[in-house]
């Protein structure tokens, strides 16, 4: 009999939770009085003499203050019931105490038969047992390892010697009333450990049974006389060696014997406990503590018995953390094996993603000091995270886990997935990420914000172009998009459009994560776009947003199968390039490997709702067979359950025979695991999955409708089969897009592998025929052209023998190739055009000339533009076009490509080819008659003549003559080549283009012509007024095409060839021209890195060496970074050597750019001697040739230096030079205040300072600073502040000087010139 009475209960039946609320007798009586009365009535007759002292104790504690708690212990007979240990001396006012036997009886009385009450009791009991085990053991270090050993004598581990404490802080915990520590020499004895476990088992049995039933000793066999007495009473010295030897033998046998989770016998203790309503996990826990059901628990311990106290604590901890699974076996569908939503073993990998996200957004703080110090840190690099691993290792799951955390932090998350079978429209996979996100935003608060951003941040024509790739954009527009037919978009322009769309989606500057899954299957165009989304320059905001420009924060995440990406793979090459550009990009590599034994055991344990120790051996077998790969694990366990090797009991949970599992056959191929599962499907369902697998990992429902009758009357019901597969979880269906997706691409591969090679070609042909026939009838062939062509090109050539069918397939490829070229996706265009040619033979030049010519032309254009195109094949296709062309119109595009090819090896040959082609186009240009003086006079004549006709441009019509349009294209190329030769003939060609425009109308190349002519007037003729007028005319012409003039902030390049010139330069592969004709001010290292790589792709390494390398060197020096090679070069150039080389070779085209870079650098660092030397070089050579690209910048810094020299030397010559620069800047300012007002004001301030006009100088300094700041010229604001600081310091105005130097420091830091900022006074 174990009975007691309660002392305090709350409304839920918990003892003593609110004891501290009641400190007076009256409140105690109100709370406890009714309970005590009830106890006395119910138990008065049943209390025997031995129990009366305990009842008296309970009544005493209930009717007296808490301070009298221990005084009640003096009552007669209480000493034998309650002797608290001296170490527990806490104030009794914060917790209550009861002996375990009393606590059990108290809970028994107040625990109803309600299931929830009993569940709570068992959970509380587990927590008490957990606290008790912690009191029984200590940790010791043995042989370098920490072990848990018994710290108390097993004889005192009894329910009579255990006190349950309850406190608000710790809940219910167990303590020993009397404790007897073990002798140090016996702490780690096996006998002690097993006896302690058995004693703990007896306590647990009594606790869980609530004191009912027979004691444990009733079920156990008699203990041999040489082992102990009637109770535990173990003489450790007497049996330690015996048990130790026996245990060692059993451990040796355990390593060889098969293990099982199935109990060999249904023991009596288990039956008794189950019949009493104790959950099976707790029954199993007690039996494993005792050693085995109905055993002695010492010599005869089962394989499943506890071997260490660490295992005991692990079991109890799992029960505490997840009682529904590990105590009550009441988790939902717990008889169905599932791995749940918890991510295991990927915490460090996930942290790497989140760390990259933090680097993307940067650290923010309200601490002004911290923000000031953060300016000293390097600027954030573009973050790219690459997750690699084997198929099914959990790469996508890892990123999706990070997605949840990112979205909780306000990130926008876009994702797409590539397919092994590439049949989608070029860029459609990447575009699908935008489309799906926009679909999700419909009807949300984001929709009106995105609609507003589309109107204010993008041009209508640009939006129209994007709608062809992202159809959902139409739903955000006020009306239908404009027509885009015939609009040519370069690869760089398309990249910029998608980057702008990211900016549109980023409402209020939210950071964006873009995830591309399975990049090992991505095509070249998609990989280029993926990288470009991070490296593209920021969109220029229009209208009222021009002053609220915020930089997009974009992080790219990619995943790929490392076993499919070898060193020569396109993705591997891209990653190597990105890593070499470490000044711009930071690539975080995350390798996802198979689970470790510990992690996998945690997963299996939680999945089977079994303790870790019980699943460990099963986990070892699974790990051995699967290498810890997630999907392999899931499918293996699924097969084990299907074969009833792993089975479930509603009482005991999951059971298995380890010996059978060890011998279970398994293939190294993950796909073969699914083959077994697929073969059990009905034939129509299997066939439906096979058909879907031919289309890849996903298929649109409308495509299924087109191929539904692929086999006539023998066709299976594909939709019905997919519904069966959907129910089995083999495929999924998205509600918004009506797309069927395989649950994993490995399932798609398994279904595809079940189609034999002989059957595959036949099936492909049937599906292609049905798709083309039905889509054409529905007038939707253009929408599914790439799907159809993919099927066609996978059919073996020898299978298609019908000539008409072969021509049809060639036509399909020709359409697909042109569409791919328009995207542009050059690699796909090559593939389609070459596949189309493969369906034709030589005679088709005669029978299908136009088709064959079109395929050749597409192949030529794509091969040339593809960075890794086959040059030998390109020449072969070009020669074929030249031989077979019937007209110049047919030949022109290929001839133009051939000229570009020539320009990469010989500019002279390219120029000669241009002139030859212009003669055939009836637009010859004879330059042999022009000397330098004749050239100059001809340009003057053209300027005067065209000035009279400039107003006609506003009334011009488009150029209708095809030959004239083609001639304009060739002349554009000719200007570029002459510029590369530093020849003034470029100006003459530009005047010819203007003349052609006046006569025949405008075309897109007219913009380039007018801008080039404007630059020629300024550089060669020195007529700034006239040049400015022509530059504005070029801006006006831009509005007739896709360019938004209002969105263009004024730039120093206004008088240079404008945006179209740069665009054409990229198109023609001359990046040197593009950079040389546009001022590169305040260029970030990342932008230089991007442009340098584009140069390398177009075989323009000289531009990298002569233009980008010096700028890269200067920027790194200003930022205080160590010098390192610009990635495409691989070595660091001595910039002075480059400069001397250009000077010696009279290489004006590169020398002026280098002078501009170095004179600004020298001035900022205060090296005035170098400024003087560079200025003299500038005057000595470049001005004499009347051919200067960047003379404005050089002149500006030379003028500032002249003022300083004038003050130091008092020489009149320096003052005169400064005055000349002032007059030049004043004239430039009259044409563009945005670009030149601050420069004019600053040189004017310096001139006033030199002449002693102090007040006028002070006023001009401050005006220059304000102008530079308003016009966003931060580096020139810094220069103006620094010069003003020097000025006020010389005047003795320390306060004003300090303010100015502070402004200079801030501006230099904002610009990124950390090294320069540190050199300022008081910095």
């Amino acid at each position: 009999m174990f009975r007691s009475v309660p002392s305090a209960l709350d409304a839920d039946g918990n003892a003593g939770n609110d004891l501290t609320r009641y400190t007076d007798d009256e409140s105690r009586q109100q709370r406890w009085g009714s309970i005590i009365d009830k106890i006395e009535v119910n138990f008065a007759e049943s209390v025997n003499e031995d129990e009366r002292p305990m009842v008296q104790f309970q009544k005493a504690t209930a009717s007296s203050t808490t301070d009298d708690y221990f005084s009640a212990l003096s009552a007669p007979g209480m000493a034998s019931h309650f002797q608290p240990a001296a170490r527990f001396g806490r104030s009794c006012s914060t917790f209550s105490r009861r002996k375990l036997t009393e606590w059990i009886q108290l809970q028994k009385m107040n625990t109803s038969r309600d299931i929830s009450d009993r569940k709570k009791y068992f959970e509380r009991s587990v927590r008490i047992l957990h606290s008790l085990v912690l009191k029984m053991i200590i940790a010791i270090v043995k042989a370098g390892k920490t072990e848990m050993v018994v710290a108390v004598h097993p004889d005192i581990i009894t329910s009579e010697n255990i006190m349950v404490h309850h406190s608000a802080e710790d809940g219910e915990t167990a303590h020993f009333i009397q404790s007897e520590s073990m002798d140090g020499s016996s702490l780690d004895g096996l006998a002690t450990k097993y006896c302690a476990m058995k004693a703990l088992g007896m306590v647990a049995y009594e606790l869980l049974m609530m004191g009912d039933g027979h004691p444990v000793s009733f079920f156990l066999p008699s203990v041999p006389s040489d082992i102990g007495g009637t109770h535990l009473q173990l003489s450790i010295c007497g049996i330690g060696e015996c048990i130790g030897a026996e245990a060692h033998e059993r451990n040796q046998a355990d390593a060889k014997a098969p293990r099982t989770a199935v109990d060999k016998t249904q023991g009596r203790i288990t039956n008794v406990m189950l019949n009493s309503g104790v959950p099976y996990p707790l029954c199993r826990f007690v039996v494993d503590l005792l050693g085995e059901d109905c055993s002695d628990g010492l010599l005869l311990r089962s394989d499943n018995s506890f071997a260490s106290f660490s295992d005991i604590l692990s079991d109890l901890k799992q029960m505490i953390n997840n009682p529904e699974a590990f105590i009550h076996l009441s988790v939902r569908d717990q008889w169905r094996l599932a791995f749940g939503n918890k991510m295991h073993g990927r915490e460090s990998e996930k942290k790497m993603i989140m760390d990259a996200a933090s680097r993307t957004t940067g650290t923010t703080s309200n601490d002004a000091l911290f923000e000031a110090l953060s300016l000293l840190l390097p600027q954030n690099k573009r973050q790219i995270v690459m997750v690699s691993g084997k198929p099914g290792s959990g790469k996508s799951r890892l990123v999706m886990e990070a997605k949840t955390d990112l979205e909780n932090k306000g990130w926008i998350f876009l994702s797409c997935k590539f397919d092994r079978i590439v049949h989608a429209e070029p860029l459609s996979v990447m575009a699908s990420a935008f489309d799906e996100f926009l679909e999700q935003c419909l009807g949300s608060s984001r929709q009106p914000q995105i609609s507003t951003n589309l109107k204010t941040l993008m041009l209508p024509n640009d939006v129209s172009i994007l709608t062809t790739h992202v159809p959902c954009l139409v739903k955000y527009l006020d009306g239908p998009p404009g027509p885009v037919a015939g609009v040519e978009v370069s690869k760089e322009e398309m990249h910029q459009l998608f980057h702008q769309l990211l900016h549109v989606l980023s409402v209020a500057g939210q950071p964006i994560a873009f995830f591309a899954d399975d990049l090992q299957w991505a095509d070249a165009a998609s990989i280029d776009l993926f990288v470009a989304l991070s490296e593209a320059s920021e969109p220029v905001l229009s209208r009222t947003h021009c002053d609220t420009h915020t930089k997009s924060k974009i992080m790219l995440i990619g995943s790929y199968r490392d076993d499919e990406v070898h060193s020569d793979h396109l993705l591997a090459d891209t990653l190597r390039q990105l890593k070499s550009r470490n000044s711009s990009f930071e690539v975080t590599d995350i390798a996802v490997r198979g689970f470790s034994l510990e992690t996998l055991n945690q997963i299996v344990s939680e999945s089977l709702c079994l303790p870790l120790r019980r699943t460990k051996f099963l986990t070892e077998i699974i790990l051995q067979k699967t290498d810890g790969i997630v999907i392999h694990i899931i499918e293996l366990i699924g097969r084990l359950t299907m074969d009833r090797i792993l089975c479930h009991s509603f009482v005991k949970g999951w059971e298995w025979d380890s010996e059978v599992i060890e011998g279970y056959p398994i293939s190294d191929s993950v796909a073969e695991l699914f083959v077994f599962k697929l073969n059990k499907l009905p034939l129509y369902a299997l066939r439906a999955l096979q058909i879907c697998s031919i289309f890849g990992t996903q298929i649109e429902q409308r495509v299924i409708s087109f191929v539904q009758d692929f086999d006539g009357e023998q066709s299976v019901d594909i939709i019905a089969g997919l519904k069966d597969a959907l129910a089995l979880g083999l495929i999924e269906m998205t509600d918004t897009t009506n797309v069927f997706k395989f649950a994993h691409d490995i399932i798609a591969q398994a279904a595809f592998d079940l189609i034999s090679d002989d059957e595959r070609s036949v099936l492909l042909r049937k599906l292609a025929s049905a798709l083309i026939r039905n889509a054409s009838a529905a007038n939707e062939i253009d929408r599914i052209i790439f799907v159809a062509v993919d099927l066609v090109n996978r059919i073996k050539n020898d299978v298609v023998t019908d000539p008409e069918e072969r021509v049809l397939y060639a036509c399909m490829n020709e359409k697909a190739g042109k569409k791919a070229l328009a995207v542009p996706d050059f690699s796909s265009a090559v593939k389609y055009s070459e596949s189309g040619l493969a369906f034709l033979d030589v005679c088709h030049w005669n029978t299908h000339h136009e088709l064959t010519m079109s395929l050749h032309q597409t192949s030529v254009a794509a091969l040339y533009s593809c960075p890794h195109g086959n040059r030998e094949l390109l020449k072969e296709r070009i020669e074929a076009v030249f031989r077979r062309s019937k007209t110049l119109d047919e030949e022109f595009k290929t001839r133009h490509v051939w000229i570009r090819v020539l320009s990469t090896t010989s500019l002279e040959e390219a120029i000669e080819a241009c002139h030859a082609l212009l003669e055939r186009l009836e637009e010859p240009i004879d330059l042999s008659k022009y000397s330098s003086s004749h050239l100059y006079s001809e340009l003057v004549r053209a300027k005067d003549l065209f000035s009279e006709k400039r107003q006609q441009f506003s009334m011009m019509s488009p150029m209708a003559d095809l030959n004239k349009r083609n001639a304009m294209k060739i002349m554009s190329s000719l200007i570029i080549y002459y510029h590369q030769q530093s020849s003034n003939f470029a100006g003459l060609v530009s005047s010819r283009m203007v003349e052609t425009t006046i006569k025949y109308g405008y075309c897109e190349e007219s913009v380039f012509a007018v801008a080039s002519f404007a630059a020629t007037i300024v550089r060669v003729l020195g007529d700034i007024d006239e040049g400015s007028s022509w530059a504005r005319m070029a801006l006006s012409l831009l509005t007739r095409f896709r360019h938004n003039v209002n969105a263009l902030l004024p730039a120093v390049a206004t008088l240079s060839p404008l945006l179209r010139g740069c665009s054409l330069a990229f198109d023609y592969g001359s990046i040197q021209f593009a950079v040389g004709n546009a001022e590169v001010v305040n260029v970030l290292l990342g932008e230089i890195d991007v442009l340098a790589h584009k140069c390398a792709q177009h075989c323009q390494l000289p531009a990298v060496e002569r233009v980008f390398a010096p700028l890269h060197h200067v920027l790194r020096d200003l930022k205080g970074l160590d010098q390192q090679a610009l990635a495409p070069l691989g070595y660091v150039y001595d910039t002075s050597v480059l400069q001397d080389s250009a000077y010696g070779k009279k290489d004006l085209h590169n020398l002026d750019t280098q002078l501009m870079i170095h004179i600004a650098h020298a001035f900022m660092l205060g090296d005035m001697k170098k400024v003087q030397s560079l200025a003299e070089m500038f005057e000595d050579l470049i001005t004499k040739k009347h051919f200067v690209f960047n003379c404005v910048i050089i002149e500006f810094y030379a003028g500032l230096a002249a003022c300083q020299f004038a003050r130091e030397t008092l020489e009149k010559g320096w003052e005169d030079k400064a005055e000349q620069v002032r007059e030049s800047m004043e004239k430039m300012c009259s044409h563009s205040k945005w670009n030149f007002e601050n420069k004019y004001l600053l040189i004017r301030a310096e001139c006033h300072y030199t002449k002693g006009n102090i007040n006028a100088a002070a006023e001009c300094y401050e005006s220059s600073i304000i102008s530079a700041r308003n016009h966003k010229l931060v580096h020139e604001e810094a220069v103006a502040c620094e010069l003003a600081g020097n000025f006020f310091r010389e005047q003795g105005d320390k306060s004003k000087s300090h303010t100015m130097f502070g402004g200079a420091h801030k501006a230099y830091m904002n610009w990124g010139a950390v090294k320069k900022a540190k050199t300022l006074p008081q910095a």
Side-chain angles (χ1 to χ4, degrees), residues 136 282 745 1240:
M136 292 170 54
L282 294 177
D745 52 76
Y1240 164 63

Side-chain angles (χ1 to χ4, degrees), residues 12-191:
D12 297 325
N14 298 319
N17 286 342
D18 295 319
L19 184 60
T20 55
R21 297 183 186 179
Y22 300 94
T23 58
D24 60 284
D25 293 345
E26 181 179 358
S27 59
R28 287 181 188 279
Q29 186 63 33
Q30 289 176 355
R31 179 167 177 80
W32 295 354
S34 60
I35 299 175
I36 295 172
D37 291 342
K38 182 178 179 181
I39 294 172
E40 290 178 344
V41 171
N42 292 339
F43 292 93
E45 297 180 357
S46 60
V47 175
N48 56 35
E49 292 299 325
D50 294 335
E51 294 171 322
R52 288 189 187 279
M54 180 59 69
V55 174
Q56 293 171 3
F57 168 73
Q58 298 288 355
K59 294 178 67 176
T61 58
S63 60
S64 62
T65 64
T66 307
D67 294 335
D68 294 331
Y69 182 87
F70 286 107
S71 65
L73 300 178
S74 60
M78 280 307 298
S80 60
H81 287 269
F82 191 5
Q83 289 294 334
R87 57 178 173 166
F88 300 115
R90 292 176 57 188
S91 172
C92 298
S93 61
T94 59
F95 60 90
S96 62
R97 311 181 183 194
R98 290 189 189 281
K99 285 177 65 174
L100 179 62
T101 51
E102 300 169 18
W103 185 89
I104 292 172
Q105 294 307 311
L106 177 62
Q107 304 309 316
K108 181 178 179 180
M109 287 188 303
N110 293 280
T111 300
S112 67
R113 294 184 178 182
D114 183 72
I115 294 178
S116 61
D117 283 352
R118 291 186 63 81
K119 288 174 69 172
K120 289 180 182 178
Y121 174 80
F122 291 130
E123 291 171 18
R124 294 166 66 189
S125 299
V126 167
R127 287 193 290 270
I128 289 173
L129 289 171
H130 182 265
S131 66
L132 181 62
V133 174
L134 294 177
K135 303 297 186 300
M136 292 170 54
I137 59 174
I138 60 172
I140 64 171
V141 178
K142 185 177 181 181
K145 296 182 179 180
T146 302
E147 296 182 3
M148 300 293 182
V149 297
V150 182
V152 298
H153 199 285
D155 285 352
I156 70 168
I157 305 174
T158 65
S159 57
E160 292 292 336
N161 191 43
I162 296 173
M163 178 75 67
V164 178
H165 288 207
H166 182 95
S167 69
E169 297 85 3
D170 303 326
E172 290 164 320
T173 57
H175 301 268
F176 289 109
I177 299 173
Q178 294 179 335
S179 61
E180 180 180 347
S181 300
M182 295 293 297
D183 188 297
S185 61
S186 304
L187 284 176
D188 59 344
L190 288 174

Side-chain angles (χ1 to χ4, degrees), residues 635-912:
E635 193 56 28
L636 171 63
I637 295 180
R639 284 185 60 180
L640 293 176
T641 57
M642 191 179 299
D643 291 343
R644 304 297 297 167
I645 298 173
L646 181 64
C647 52
H648 187 269
S649 163
F650 281 95
V651 176
K652 297 183 177 181
W654 291 94
E655 299 177 317
W656 65 89
D657 192 316
S658 299
E659 187 176 42
V660 176
I661 296 177
E662 277 190 289
Y664 193 80
I666 183 172
S667 167
D668 292 335
S669 169
V670 181
E672 287 188 24
L673 285 170
F674 290 98
V675 169
F676 173 82
K677 190 172 186 177
L678 294 175
N679 278 327
K680 293 196 173 185
L681 292 173
L683 283 178
Y684 71 93
L686 175 60
R687 195 59 167 174
L689 287 178
Q690 289 176 327
I691 291 171
C692 287
S693 71
I694 286 178
F695 290 92
T697 57
Q698 62 183 34
I699 181 173
E700 295 182 49
Q701 197 163 359
R702 63 172 180 164
V703 174
I704 295 175
S705 66
F706 289 147
V707 300
Q708 185 70 47
D709 61 345
F710 74 100
D711 203 14
E713 295 181 357
Q714 303 300 318
S715 302
V716 298
D717 190 341
I718 300 176
I719 296 297
L722 292 181
K723 287 182 179 179
D724 285 2
L726 189 65
L728 294 173
L730 295 171
I731 62 172
E732 303 166 348
M733 184 177 181
T734 57
D735 296 332
T736 56
T737 56
N738 292 323
V739 173
F740 286 100
K741 295 182 179 181
F742 281 92
H744 198 283
D745 52 76
I746 294 178
I747 303 175
Q749 184 63 39
F752 187 79
D753 290 342
L754 285 173
I755 308 173
S756 65
D757 291 340
D758 294 336
E759 183 187 12
R760 198 169 294 164
S761 293
V762 176
L763 184 57
L764 281 168
R765 193 173 178 187
K766 289 180 178 179
L767 291 172
S769 177
L771 181 60
I772 295 172
R773 180 180 66 253
N774 294 326
S776 298
N779 200 25
E780 291 193 32
I781 189 64
D782 286 341
R783 298 184 64 183
I784 53 89
I785 183 70
F786 292 101
V787 179
V789 168
D790 172 70
L791 294 178
V792 165
N793 292 340
R794 288 157 61 195
I795 301 173
K796 294 180 180 179
N797 261 338
D798 55 0
V799 175
V800 184
T801 57
D802 182 16
E804 291 186 4
E805 186 177 0
R806 295 179 71 90
V807 171
L808 171 64
Y809 292 163
C811 288
M812 298 285 292
N813 274 285
E814 188 247 354
K815 288 182 179 180
K818 285 186 174 180
K819 292 191 72 171
L821 195 60
V823 169
D825 179 359
F826 304 121
S827 297
S828 296
V830 171
K831 180 183 68 175
Y832 294 132
S833 58
E834 291 300 318
S835 295
L837 288 172
F839 283 107
L840 302 177
D841 52 38
V842 178
C843 68
H844 283 95
W845 274 110
N846 299 322
T847 58
H848 296 87
H849 178 84
E850 291 184 4
L851 171 61
T852 309
M853 179 61 71
S854 178
L855 287 167
H856 275 77
Q857 289 174 341
T858 301
S859 181
V860 166
L863 282 168
Y864 167 74
S865 301
C866 189
H868 305 287
N870 186 330
R871 294 296 161 176
E872 292 300 320
L873 181 60
L874 172 61
K875 291 181 180 179
E876 180 183 335
R877 295 289 180 243
I878 288 175
E879 291 171 358
V881 172
F882 289 169
R883 289 195 309 269
R884 299 286 185 171
S885 296
K886 296 180 178 180
T887 64
L888 178 59
D889 184 37
E890 272 189 348
E891 183 184 343
F892 175 77
K893 289 184 178 179
T894 302
R895 184 68 66 179
H896 198 187
V897 170
W898 175 241
I899 292 173
R900 297 177 194 176
V901 173
L902 286 176
S903 71
T904 62
T905 57
S906 173
L907 283 175
E908 289 77 10
E909 291 184 18
I911 291 172
E912 184 179 345

